[in-house]
Amino acid sequence: MSTEQVLRFLITNHENLLLAPLYGDLRSIFCVYLSCFQDDDILAATFQLFSKALQDICDIADGSLALNSQAGEMYQNSRVEFIDVSLLKLMHEKINSLGGERIKRRDFDTGHHLTGSHLERMLCILNQDANENKSENILLRKLQKLLSTCPGSIQLAKEREQHISKTVGYIPICTNEKHKALLATIVPTSAHELGSIPGFKLSQAKVNCPGLIDCLQRKKHFIPNIKPHTDISLGDCSYLDTCHKLNSCRYTHYLQYIPENLCKTISAETKLANKLNENQKNYPFYTHGNCCSNFVKQDLPEQWIQCDVRKFDFTVLGKFSAVIADPAWNIHMNLPYGTCNDNELLELPFETLQDEGILFLWVTGRAIEMGKEFLTKWGYIVLHEISWVKTNQLSRTIVTGRTGHWLNHSKEHLLVGLKGNPIWLNRKIDTDIIVSATRETSRKPDELYGLIERLVGPHARKLEFFGRHHNLRPGWFTIGNQLPGVCIHELDVKKRYEQFLAKPERAHKHS
Amino acid sequence: MAVSGQQDQDIVQINENKRVKHVRFKPTKEIQQNDYSNHYIHTGVLPHQHITNTESPVVGYPKLQKLLALKEDQIKQYATNPFGCKVEIDQMVPTINHWIRDEQLTFDVVMIGCLTDNQFIYPLLTQLALDRLVSKPGFLFIWASAQKINELNRLLNNETWAKKFRRSEELVFVPIDKNSPFYPGLEQDDNSIVDKMQWHCWMCITGTVRRSTDGHLIHCNIDTDLGFEKKDTRVGAVPSHLYRVVENFSTSTKRLHIIPARTGFEKPVRPRPGWVVMSPDILLNNFSPKRYKQEISVIGCNVPLKNEIENLRPKSPIQKV
């Protein structure tokens, strides 16, 4: 390698060396240099020599190259920041006129060892802390880190929730097919109920299937409820435990098997864990999104008003942090509660319920777009679509039973609307997937309440619209036409409600 | 030594037997339900990881399993060669316009988009003569992030659009966890109040099809509107699940997939038999309208009816006259 060669290389390539993707990175420039020259001379080129040549150029034509390293030292991570081509060209001309003899260097024997092939050395250069120092990599990594950083508020809120929220008993489900088959033979069933396992069968089973006993004590099992009319080859019933024809349905049904003991252990453990949390909860220092008397304040009991929402004065209720609405969309067939058609729904003064906050709207099918439209008209932006993944008794998604028109429906949609800029929300504690078993027609999963309570804090005012009896819940205000009368604990609401009832025009309407 | 070892073992055996006898295995009568959202808060295990049939969705339903296997075989049998059409994003509309105008090429199934952020779906939808590209009846599937789908709402709800393409289902695809290549990471904006885990798809129908009478065109209720990433789902722009739902639904053999996005090396776009895939990053570039039309003329425009499948597939209840 001659300095002249390096010089020529710099002159021909000066523009590209400073641009993407090289950005003047010395090591990258060296790699390009290696790939440009194929003669024998190059075989002996090392980075050291290359940098030496550059150094020489710098020394001879002062100011032709500007490096980012201090004191002109050249390292692998140095970067060329500027190349003055005219100076380099001048130097090149000079060398040529001198025959290049005096400047040409031959220090092949200055201590370096020739190892490996051309390619190997190139790879070697590329491998060396490749991600460490390249400027573009540094930028990329910084950007990536910035984007993936989870704000402290989210982490803290998550952690706090973990420590103060109540644990609910959890029993995993055994998915071992062998266990299922074995239990089917040893657990006696009668009249769709399970009996105790006879002792001798248990010891037998223990020999046949070593892990079974342990599994029984930790997990929930589902045991096929085989009847004389059951035809195993047909497979599982689409409805399983909700099947109305248990005594004639030929498909397989299952019974839940949890030893009483396991239930007791789990509930004891849960109680203990909750008690521990209870004791700790005086001390979380992170208070964002909570009211200042969070742990002293008593939880409000459930409240409700039975009314026809179309004739109700919404201002009676006051303002809420979170609202759930599960309207009976008109596009659906007859459902077991009173109807309020889609236009009437849009006319409801929803905008009075919240100054800022979130609204959860259950939608299905064509109502998805309509729901989005309504939210926008009420002054919300559509923020999310939470999916409720509907599961059956065996914790499987529902895949059969013609539940949708074109495809089967395994999920339902919950639109989330945001109004204003509620900085008091505890964001991203949950995900946008709720997994929960189906219950009666149109009954929604209770997991949603937990999700919302975590989001807005335990003492925030929460309203459920079009609620039914099973929707009543401490901390929540429920409105609907199928509720059992009226129950109000908040004094201001009570007063306004009485005023509303006393209004003359209303009395007139009723008479 | 050996004897005493044997004895020790026996004692352990007896003790275990005793323990077994002491543990009561009387089943409880209460129905226990887990709250997976609560469990997630305390353990970090995502709710959908408790679902027991993500790996084999139709477990327990032998009829459905058989149907799906038969469908798969038949679809494979009536599939064109995999075609790739490597086109820059800004050349997509001109290319397709050329197909429509000069080659009289139409498709019955058009899928747009894939599971990646930064897709140019809106410009594509507004510039493309979709109603001329998609034959009637035809089916349109648009895959994007939930946010993007929401933004498209206005376009797809405007009257001229809504008249041509009726929105019929909303499909969802869920990655297995937050480390999945399908996790919509960039989707998480500051406004989000929950962690986003989903990709959405709008399924639109153009023209008229009836579930009860058009069994030669569509097979309804075979798949569901929800898909999960499985252990064997290959990394890529499009998990095969997305294609399979479409193939099972429409019997058409003329399927086009347009990916108006750069997906890069991490999410390769793979060719698929029976599909023409148009993308700037597809690995294959072998599409020619002439050859395609010739292949279609050999295999036909629809997968033919097959008695076995007809007997097994879910059908509308027959109306009593």
Side-chain angles (χ1 to χ4, degrees):
Chain A
M1 172 164 62
S2 70
T3 312
E4 194 257 336
Q5 214 173 22
V6 176
L7 195 57
R8 252 194 299 134
F9 168 75
L10 284 179
I11 292 169
T12 25
N13 298 302
H14 71 274
E15 270 177 293
N16 294 330
L17 296 181
L18 300 185
L19 296 176
L22 298 174
Y23 295 108
D25 182 67
L26 220 51
R27 196 176 49 226
S28 311
I29 293 178
F30 178 55
C31 290
V32 175
Y33 174 75
L34 284 182
S35 51
C36 283
F37 296 95
Q38 290 290 330
D39 54 39
D40 292 342
D41 204 24
I42 209 78
L43 274 174
T46 63
F47 184 75
Q48 261 173 319
L49 283 177
F50 182 70
S51 59
K52 193 115 202 291
L54 284 182
Q55 191 72 56
D56 286 343
I57 294 169
C58 273
D59 291 345
I60 296 165
D62 191 20
S64 60
L65 298 174
L67 285 126
N68 70 335
S69 54
Q70 290 98 18
E73 290 278 335
M74 272 182 233
Y75 302 108
Q76 295 213 351
N77 58 358
S78 302
R79 240 167 4 96
V80 180
E81 285 182 328
F82 173 71
I83 301 175
D84 188 337
V85 206
S86 51
L87 270 180
L88 290 180
K89 276 182 182 160
L90 208 67
M91 182 178 165
H92 193 241
E93 266 171 41
K94 273 267 188 274
I95 294 169
N96 280 348
S97 64
L98 289 171
E101 280 311 310
R102 280 201 311 192
I103 308 165
K104 196 171 181 182
R105 285 183 174 273
R106 293 204 168 271
D107 13 3
F108 296 146
D109 44 359
T110 49
H112 77 271
H113 299 287
L114 220 97
T115 47
S117 67
H118 182 186
L119 178 72
E120 236 171 83
R121 274 178 304 122
M122 267 187 68
L123 285 177
C124 176
I125 270 278
L126 283 171
N127 284 340
Q128 275 174 7
D129 42 56
N131 293 320
E132 284 307 308
N133 296 313
K134 275 194 192 162
S135 51
E136 70 270 26
N137 279 348
I138 295 170
L139 269 178
L140 251 181
R141 261 184 299 132
K142 269 190 187 165
L143 188 65
Q144 222 131 39
K145 201 177 162 198
L146 197 69
L147 285 172
S148 61
T149 300
C150 179
S153 59
I154 290 171
Q155 285 171 17
L156 284 166
K158 264 191 176 169
E159 227 170 277
R160 178 179 68 191
E161 211 49 58
Q162 205 172 352
H163 286 296
I164 65 169
S165 74
K166 278 212 166 88
T167 321
V168 182
Y170 164 76
I171 303 177
I173 295 166
C174 170
T175 49
N176 192 328
E177 284 295 315
K178 206 176 159 195
H179 290 183
K180 183 175 116 183
L182 196 62
L183 284 171
T185 62
I186 63 168
V187 184
T189 56
S190 65
H192 308 304
E193 267 187 29
L194 293 171
S196 292
I197 309 174
F200 72 95
K201 283 199 174 175
L202 200 60
S203 7
Q204 255 177 20
K206 213 188 90 173
V207 178
N208 291 340
C209 179
L212 179 68
I213 301 292
D214 185 46
C215 193
L216 279 181
Q217 284 170 293
R218 289 190 299 111
K219 290 183 178 173
K220 188 194 283 193
H221 289 78
F222 287 98
I223 296 170
N225 180 15
I226 310 291
K227 297 277 150 205
H229 55 262
T230 309
D231 180 352
I232 302 173
S233 68
L234 290 176
D236 298 342
C237 173
S238 296
Y239 305 101
L240 294 172
D241 55 338
T242 55
C243 181
H244 295 303
K245 298 173 186 162
L246 272 184
N247 289 321
S248 59
C249 180
R250 291 162 65 221
Y251 290 87
T252 311
H253 300 82
Y254 293 85
L255 294 166
Q256 171 203 270
Y257 179 80
I258 308 172
E260 261 181 357
N261 253 29
L262 175 58
C263 263
K264 273 182 199 153
T265 329
I266 294 287
S267 79
E269 273 173 17
T270 314
K271 222 176 238 172
L272 185 73
N274 283 336
K275 207 173 172 189
L276 276 175
N277 275 349
E278 193 87 9
N279 294 341
Q280 280 172 354
K281 85 179 185 182
N282 295 321
Y283 309 108
F285 293 121
Y286 183 68
T287 56
H288 176 88
N290 282 344
C291 64
C292 49
S293 51
N294 202 27
F295 297 109
V296 197
K297 215 170 167 178
Q298 291 251 304
D299 289 341
L300 267 174
E302 55 265 48
Q303 306 179 78
W304 65 91
I305 296 176
Q306 189 252 315
C307 63
D308 183 341
V309 290
R310 287 168 293 186
K311 293 169 192 153
F312 191 68
D313 181 4
F314 279 32
T315 55
V316 165
L317 298 166
K319 303 285 180 187
F320 293 89
S321 302
V323 178
I324 302 180
D326 184 11
W329 296 97
N330 235 19
I331 16 193
H332 295 287
M333 295 138 279
N334 295 327
L335 285 168
Y337 38 83
T339 46
C340 165
N341 77 39
D342 297 338
N343 277 332
E344 284 173 324
L345 182 70
L346 183 62
E347 296 302 310
L348 293 179
F350 263 95
E351 60 277 358
T352 61
L353 290 172
Q354 297 183 296
D355 288 332
E356 56 175 19
I358 36 176
L359 192 148
F360 295 81
L361 188 63
W362 284 104
V363 286
T364 44
R366 252 185 6 95
I368 296 179
E369 291 122 275
M370 213 185 280
K372 285 179 179 173
E373 207 177 295
F374 283 16
L375 279 177
T376 316
K377 283 187 179 150
W378 291 330
Y380 293 82
I381 59 160
V382 182
L383 199 55
H384 290 285
E385 264 182 81
I386 291 182
S387 292
W388 165 29
V389 178
K390 296 159 123 179
T391 52
N392 61 22
Q393 185 195 18
L394 306 176
S395 229
R396 292 177 185 159
T397 55
I398 288 162
V399 296
T400 61
R402 290 196 305 109
T403 46
H405 193 78
W406 307 105
L407 300 172
N408 288 328
H409 289 177
S410 303
K411 55 162 173 54
E412 282 201 25
H413 292 250
L414 175 66
L415 300 179
V416 184
L418 176 84
K419 189 176 181 182
N421 180 27
I423 52 164
W424 36 266
L425 290 175
N426 293 311
R427 293 165 189 273
K428 294 190 196 175
I429 294 180
D430 285 87
T431 70
D432 60 355
I433 309 262
I434 293 175
V435 176
S436 181
T438 50
R439 297 182 290 184
E440 310 93 274
T441 314
S442 78
R443 185 162 174 193
K444 300 302 190 292
D446 288 344
E447 279 83 348
L448 178 62
Y449 294 117
L451 186 147
I452 295 175
E453 282 158 16
R454 289 188 279 274
L455 200 57
V456 298
H459 299 296
R461 296 191 73 225
K462 299 171 283 282
L463 175 75
E464 173 150 14
F465 238 87
F466 308 107
R468 284 180 284 161
H469 184 77
H470 54 239
N471 295 118
L472 302 180
R473 188 180 161 99
W476 286 79
F477 211 114
T478 313
I479 300 289
N481 63 352
Q482 296 203 337
L483 294 166
V486 176
C487 173
I488 309 174
H489 295 278
E490 289 166 307
L491 291 176
D492 55 331
V493 180
K494 199 167 196 164
K495 202 171 136 197
R496 283 195 298 264
Y497 183 63
E498 276 157 10
Q499 282 167 356
F500 164 71
L501 286 183
K503 265 182 197 160
E505 70 265 37
R506 193 186 143 79
H508 181 73
K509 220 183 262 174
H510 270 248
S511 59
Chain B
M1 199 58 205
V3 176
S4 77
Q6 184 64 47
Q7 272 172 348
D8 283 353
Q9 225 174 5
D10 283 347
I11 289 163
V12 170
Q13 199 77 45
I14 289 160
N15 284 346
E16 264 182 26
N17 275 340
K18 266 189 191 161
R19 212 189 69 208
V20 168
K21 269 183 194 152
H22 282 279
V23 174
R24 294 176 59 210
F25 281 97
K26 194 180 160 204
T28 176
K29 278 188 184 155
E30 74 182 80
I31 296 295
Q32 194 266 351
Q33 287 286 356
N34 289 322
D35 181 331
Y36 296 129
S37 297
N38 182 285
H39 193 245
Y40 170 65
I41 301 303
H42 291 278
T43 61
V45 182
L46 291 161
H48 62 269
Q49 289 174 333
H50 296 280
I51 296 170
T52 52
N53 66 335
T54 35
E55 286 302 317
S56 45
V58 290
V59 64
Y61 303 111
K63 246 174 89 176
L64 251 179
Q65 285 165 10
K66 197 171 169 204
L67 171 65
L68 286 172
L70 284 171
K71 286 280 286 182
E72 196 182 336
D73 279 351
Q74 207 199 9
I75 288 163
K76 212 180 275 170
Q77 204 183 324
Y78 288 91
T80 59
N81 278 314
F83 284 105
C85 184
K86 201 177 168 91
V87 174
E88 286 304 320
I89 296 168
D90 54 357
Q91 286 307 307
M92 285 181 166
V93 173
T95 310
I96 292 171
N97 281 344
H98 163 73
W99 291 353
I100 300 171
R101 222 180 309 115
D102 307 329
E103 307 282 349
Q104 282 81 41
L105 204 56
T106 58
F107 293 87
D108 300 329
V109 170
V110 174
M111 186 147 93
I112 297 174
C114 64
L115 307 193
T116 182
D117 301 289
N118 290 327
Q119 301 197 76
F120 295 91
I121 289 184
Y122 191 89
L124 186 79
L125 286 183
T126 45
Q127 290 169 37
L128 199 60
L130 259 182
D131 51 330
R132 292 179 59 198
L133 177 68
V134 187
S135 33
K136 275 181 188 167
F139 312 97
L140 181 66
F141 296 79
I142 304 172
W143 278 99
S145 64
Q147 183 66 32
K148 264 268 156 61
I149 289 288
N150 194 25
E151 285 164 14
L152 291 177
N153 213 41
R154 192 180 300 169
L155 172 72
L156 301 188
N157 272 351
N158 94 25
E159 250 175 53
T160 42
W161 239 95
K163 250 184 209 160
K164 286 177 196 156
F165 296 94
R166 274 169 302 116
R167 225 218 51 167
S168 313
E169 296 282 359
E170 183 147 352
L171 282 74
V172 163
F173 185 81
V174 182
I176 213 146
D177 60 24
K178 290 181 191 171
N179 298 320
S180 153
F182 299 110
Y183 176 60
L186 281 175
E187 260 287 280
Q188 320 293 339
D189 49 49
D190 295 342
N191 251 339
S192 297
I193 58 168
V194 284
D195 249 335
K196 291 183 185 173
M197 292 293 294
Q198 327 174 2
W199 296 94
H200 279 238
C201 169
W202 264 17
M203 170 180 155
C204 300
I205 296 180
T206 177
T208 324
V209 277
R210 287 199 181 81
R211 183 164 79 163
S212 47
T213 54
D214 291 336
H216 58 294
L217 298 176
I218 51 168
H219 290 174
C220 296
N221 301 101
I222 292 183
D223 286 289
T224 79
D225 56 357
L226 175 69
F228 288 98
E229 182 193 351
K230 298 179 191 175
K231 285 201 186 87
D232 63 354
T233 304
R234 287 198 298 171
V235 179
V238 192
S240 48
H241 170 85
L242 272 53
Y243 289 123
R244 220 171 296 131
V245 172
V246 178
E247 291 162 352
N248 284 341
F249 177 72
S250 163
T251 62
S252 168
T253 53
K254 295 194 291 180
R255 314 183 191 99
L256 170 69
H257 184 191
I258 311 169
I259 303 177
R262 280 246 164 227
T263 47
F265 298 115
E266 295 90 8
K267 285 188 171 178
V269 180
R270 296 196 174 86
R272 184 173 173 95
W275 287 80
V276 179
V277 181
M278 179 186 259
S279 146
D281 289 330
I282 178 96
L283 304 167
L284 192 69
N285 191 15
N286 62 342
F287 183 75
S288 98
K290 200 178 152 205
R291 196 179 142 206
Y292 185 70
K293 278 191 277 192
Q294 201 229 323
E295 275 199 31
I296 289 291
S297 71
V298 173
I299 58 169
C301 288
N302 291 85
V303 178
L305 287 179
K306 191 174 178 182
N307 281 338
E308 265 178 298
I309 290 177
E310 282 305 298
N311 292 337
L312 283 169
R313 74 178 180 90
K315 282 184 283 286
S316 306
I318 294 155
Q319 303 276 321
K320 280 175 195 158
V321 188

